């Protein structure tokens, strides 16, 4: 099973451990983009408080159906660290189930 790794335990995940990828679409985030402010606040809300800050740029949105029957989204940069087009990659895997993995903090504050 493929995995989707999250840097934090986001509110939207709600304890789900896997999710089926339903749809993928591009998203361009502009600086101070008021049109999608509420969506960004929902999508980046970290469990326990705070939000992950996204910079302006090209992204891809994944719509997922979790194993507890809850729909949620995740926003990913459009181009991966090795130059891979994530929109093409995820579009090729629509209908597949992904394991949800959350990076854990180490005791010294660094992530594993």
């Amino acid at each position: 099973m493929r995995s989707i790794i999250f840097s934090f335990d986001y509110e939207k995940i709600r304890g789900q451990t896997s999710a089926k990828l339903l749809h993928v679409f591009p998203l361009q985030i502009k600086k101070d983009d008021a049109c999608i402010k509420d969506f960004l606040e929902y999508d980046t809300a970290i469990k326990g408080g705070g939000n992950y800050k996204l910079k302006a740029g090209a992204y891809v949105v994944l719509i997922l159906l979790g194993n507890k029957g809850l729909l949620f989204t995740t926003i990913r940069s459009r181009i991966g660290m090795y130059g891979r087009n994530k929109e093409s990659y995820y579009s090729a895997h629509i209908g597949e189930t992904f394991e949800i993995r959350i990076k854990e903090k180490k005791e010294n504050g660094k992530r594993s």
Side-chain angles (χ1 to χ4, degrees):
M1 179 184 304
R2 297 182 190 283
S3 296
I4 295 180
I5 300 171
F6 292 88
S7 298
F8 299 95
D9 187 4
Y10 290 96
E11 291 285 346
K12 63 190 176 190
I13 296 172
R14 299 180 184 225
Q16 298 178 105
T17 57
S18 64
K20 183 176 182 177
L21 180 58
L22 301 178
H23 189 65
V24 177
F25 64 91
L27 175 69
Q28 186 69 33
I29 297 176
K30 299 172 186 158
K31 186 176 180 184
D32 301 321
D33 197 340
C35 294
I36 60 171
K37 181 180 182 252
D38 290 340
F39 172 61
L40 293 177
E41 284 182 18
Y42 149 78
D43 193 82
T44 64
I46 300 167
K47 193 172 182 178
N51 286 76
Y52 183 82
K53 303 298 181 214
L54 291 171
K55 297 177 184 177
Y59 293 88
V60 60
V61 177
L62 311 181
I63 300 176
L64 301 137
L65 176 61
N67 62 296
K68 293 185 175 184
L70 301 173
L71 283 172
F72 66 101
T73 59
T74 187
I75 301 171
R76 304 286 159 145
S77 59
R78 194 170 140 301
I79 304 297
M81 65 190 306
Y82 300 109
R84 178 171 49 172
N85 182 318
K86 290 185 185 179
E87 184 178 1
S88 296
Y89 171 78
Y90 284 114
S91 292
H93 297 288
I94 290 174
E96 293 183 27
T97 299
F98 289 74
E99 174 189 17
I100 295 172
R101 294 181 29 214
I102 300 167
K103 289 184 180 180
E104 296 182 14
K105 288 185 179 180
K106 292 183 179 179
E107 287 186 31
N108 64 4
K110 293 184 180 178
R111 299 194 193 290
S112 57

